Each structure stands twice: as structure tokens, then as C-alpha cells.
Amino acid sequence: MPGLLRGIARTAIVAGTATAVSNRVSRRQGGRWARQDQQQADAQEPVEPEPAAAGGMDDTLAQLKQLGELKSQGVLTEAEFQQQKSRILNA
């Protein structure tokens, strides 16, 4: 009977250790993937709307609408949105 308990205890220790190692590896790999995704997102150049054409309130409104859509899609940050909006309105 003591040999059986020793075998059960050893199995429990090995299984617990394997689970702990597996969880740690999964967390590290997830963090590594998240950093790679962030680096790829940072490497992409932000999409900027086309410059304003000479004259026309319709052109300005169309550009502002496109800019708003880019912001709502998450392509532009709030700061980028404000910068481009002021550029369009002051052109």
C-alpha cells in the first residue's frame, strides 16, 4: 500500500509541475505575440485623407465625414483625428 500512495503522490507532483510549466509557457507566448502585434501595428503608416481640393464646402464635408469614419473604425487616434480635422478646416 505505501508503494501505491508513493506512486499516486509522484504522479500528482509531476502533473502539477507540468501544468504550472505549461501555463507559464502559454502566458509568455501570449505576451510575445501581443508585442509582435503591437510592433506590426506601430509599423503601419496612418492613413491620411486626401488634401482638400480648391474650393467647395461639399469637398470639406466629404473629407470630414471620411475622417470621422476612419476615427470610428479605430484607424486614427483622437490626436491624429484632431490634427487632420484642423488641417482640413484651415485649408
Side-chain angles (χ1 to χ4, degrees):
M1 191 70 140
L4 179 63
L5 289 177
R6 191 174 303 133
I8 291 172
R10 182 178 299 153
T11 301
I13 291 170
V14 169
T17 302
T19 300
V21 170
S22 173
N23 289 341
R24 183 166 185 251
V25 169
S26 293
R27 283 192 305 273
R28 287 179 66 197
Q29 188 65 38
R32 193 172 297 143
W33 288 340
R35 283 192 302 275
Q36 287 175 351
D37 288 346
Q38 185 62 39
Q39 288 173 351
Q40 288 176 351
D42 291 343
Q44 293 177 349
E45 293 186 29
V47 176
E48 295 185 20
E50 296 177 9
M57 183 62 117
D58 291 337
D59 291 338
T60 302
L61 289 175
Q63 287 181 340
L64 289 173
K65 182 178 178 183
Q66 180 184 17
L67 192 64
E69 289 172 0
L70 290 172
K71 181 179 177 272
S72 67
Q73 293 171 357
V75 175
L76 295 175
T77 64
E78 181 65 31
E80 292 169 331
F81 173 76
Q82 292 298 331
Q83 180 184 18
Q84 294 299 322
K85 183 175 87 170
S86 66
R87 186 184 61 80
I88 291 170
L89 292 175
N90 294 328

